[in-house]
Amino acid sequence: MRLRGVLLVLALLLAATGVVPVLLLGEDGGDVVAPAPPFNSSRVKAVSWQPRIFVYKGFLSDAECDHLVTLAKKKIQRSMVADNQSGKSVMSEVRTSSGMFLNKRQDPVVSRIEERIAAWTFLPQENAENMQILRYEHGQKYEPHFDYFHDKINQVRGGHRYATVLMYLSTVDKGGETVFPNAKGWESQPKDDTFSECAHQGLAVKPVKGDAVLFFSLHVDGVPDPLSLHGSCPVIQGEKWSAPKWIHVRSYENPPVVPKDTRGCADKSEHCAEWAAAGECGKNPVYMVGAEGAPGQCRKSCNVCDS
């Protein structure tokens, strides 16, 4: 009875404060409960309407940030970018960070964060890609780019990326700002010497642990917004960890099914057999196999032909 009374009091306190318990998985295998910040619209600030950019102060708890970083350190590798012509992931000096992707609903912590993102954006979880974790060390950056696609291959699965939620998992001493060089009226943003030189070239958001930025790459009518151009300034002091979550206009989890037939079965690249042997048919099915209305580049090597 005494234990039941304690639990009841705890439940009432949690309800009164709006604190939601989040299950964290300890490194020693034990469970640790850490409070997640309650959803509070007063924590959200609109920093631009052209493009639409919002900052949520304290979107993640420190414990959640540390948990995501711990997961990433096990599998992190050099980041890639999508080639504008082929849609294939390639290495580029445009993006010099390291990163990895988590699985959707990988553990209770990831699931809770994904639910919180859906609640904030009003966009369904099935439209989102897997959460990516990025690390920027001294001098590393990501040149200004768009999150919407220029190639047709990547648009087949889920359509354009509509919105991005960028979560900061660490506070950077200097540099590492997210900068929007095309944002209307960015010149009026007050900046002091704590901002890097790069950040003075556009509307800038400093990376603060636990904060999150939501911005939209498309207008409300679905047309790509060129004002959404953005980049990650070079890290000058410290280390930057972040977690972008890209959300498409349609379901990303359930892309159109491509029926097996003999149409478009020829390989369109001399490298198809090599890519297939490396497992790209499963890792990059939209490019390799294709989707409805867009045959892939390596259907023959991926064995999707009837004969």
Side-chain angles (χ1 to χ4, degrees):
M1 291 296 292
R2 179 176 297 178
L3 177 60
R4 182 179 301 176
V6 171
L7 292 175
L8 178 59
V9 171
L10 177 59
L12 291 173
L13 286 173
L14 291 175
T17 59
V19 175
V20 181
V22 174
L23 178 65
L24 292 179
L25 306 180
E27 294 183 8
D28 59 356
D31 295 343
V32 180
V33 175
F39 189 86
N40 187 340
S41 60
S42 66
R43 293 172 178 258
V44 181
K45 178 182 179 181
V47 296
S48 171
W49 290 107
Q50 293 181 293
R52 291 170 291 158
I53 308 172
F54 305 87
V55 175
Y56 192 127
K57 303 296 292 184
F59 183 73
L60 300 177
S61 68
D62 282 355
E64 288 172 325
C65 293
D66 295 341
H67 180 71
L68 295 180
V69 170
T70 298
L71 292 178
K73 285 182 176 179
K74 302 174 183 178
K75 297 183 178 180
I76 201 163
Q77 57 185 324
R78 175 69 185 271
S79 299
M80 310 289 275
V81 298
D83 181 75
N84 285 339
Q85 278 69 49
S86 67
K88 189 171 178 63
S89 295
V90 296
M91 192 175 296
S92 171
E93 287 304 309
V94 168
R95 186 184 197 184
T96 56
S97 61
S98 300
M100 56 82 68
F101 283 92
L102 301 176
N103 294 323
K104 280 193 174 182
R105 297 171 284 276
Q106 179 166 323
D107 63 28
V109 180
V110 175
S111 295
R112 186 63 63 96
I113 294 171
E114 291 171 337
E115 291 170 1
R116 201 179 308 152
I117 290 172
W120 181 21
T121 62
F122 291 97
L123 297 172
Q125 292 188 49
E126 68 176 88
N127 287 23
E129 296 181 35
N130 293 26
M131 188 186 303
Q132 188 180 36
I133 311 296
L134 296 172
R135 179 182 67 190
Y136 292 86
E137 299 177 282
H138 181 265
Q140 293 186 331
K141 41 77 177 174
Y142 195 174
E143 296 287 353
H145 60 282
F146 299 105
D147 278 356
Y148 59 78
F149 298 112
H150 293 84
D151 65 280
K152 296 296 183 182
I153 298 298
N154 279 302
Q155 293 180 43
V156 171
R157 185 173 183 181
H160 274 305
R161 287 170 172 168
Y162 179 59
T164 299
V165 175
L166 177 61
M167 296 161 281
Y168 299 120
L169 309 182
S170 67
T171 297
V172 182
D173 296 330
K174 189 165 186 179
E177 301 95 344
T178 302
V179 63
F180 296 84
N182 288 354
K184 292 289 187 179
W186 68 263
E187 299 88 349
S188 63
Q189 182 186 29
K191 296 188 180 80
D192 54 27
D193 57 6
T194 63
F195 285 86
S196 68
E197 180 180 348
C198 163
H200 282 80
Q201 307 305 311
L203 179 68
V205 179
K206 287 185 177 182
V208 176
K209 187 176 183 179
D211 289 359
V213 180
L214 164 63
F215 63 90
F216 293 86
S217 296
L218 308 183
H219 293 293
V220 292
D221 60 0
V223 175
D225 184 1
L227 300 183
S228 66
L229 183 75
H230 61 284
S232 180
C233 290
V235 172
I236 299 174
Q237 295 177 11
E239 185 177 58
K240 177 182 177 181
W241 286 89
S242 62
K245 184 78 166 176
W246 294 293
I247 309 170
H248 293 247
V249 297
R250 299 191 302 272
S251 175
Y252 187 82
E253 289 185 7
N254 304 297
V257 177
V258 181
K260 286 189 175 183
D261 57 31
T262 57
R263 292 175 295 176
C265 255
D267 287 340
K268 298 180 181 180
S269 171
E270 60 182 11
H271 301 294
C272 282
E274 175 187 345
W275 292 338
E280 289 295 316
C281 297
K283 297 176 183 177
N284 198 357
V286 175
Y287 177 83
M288 297 289 286
V289 178
E292 186 176 5
Q297 304 296 301
C298 301
R299 291 173 61 81
K300 182 177 180 181
S301 291
C302 288
N303 297 317
V304 296
C305 307
D306 290 336
S307 61

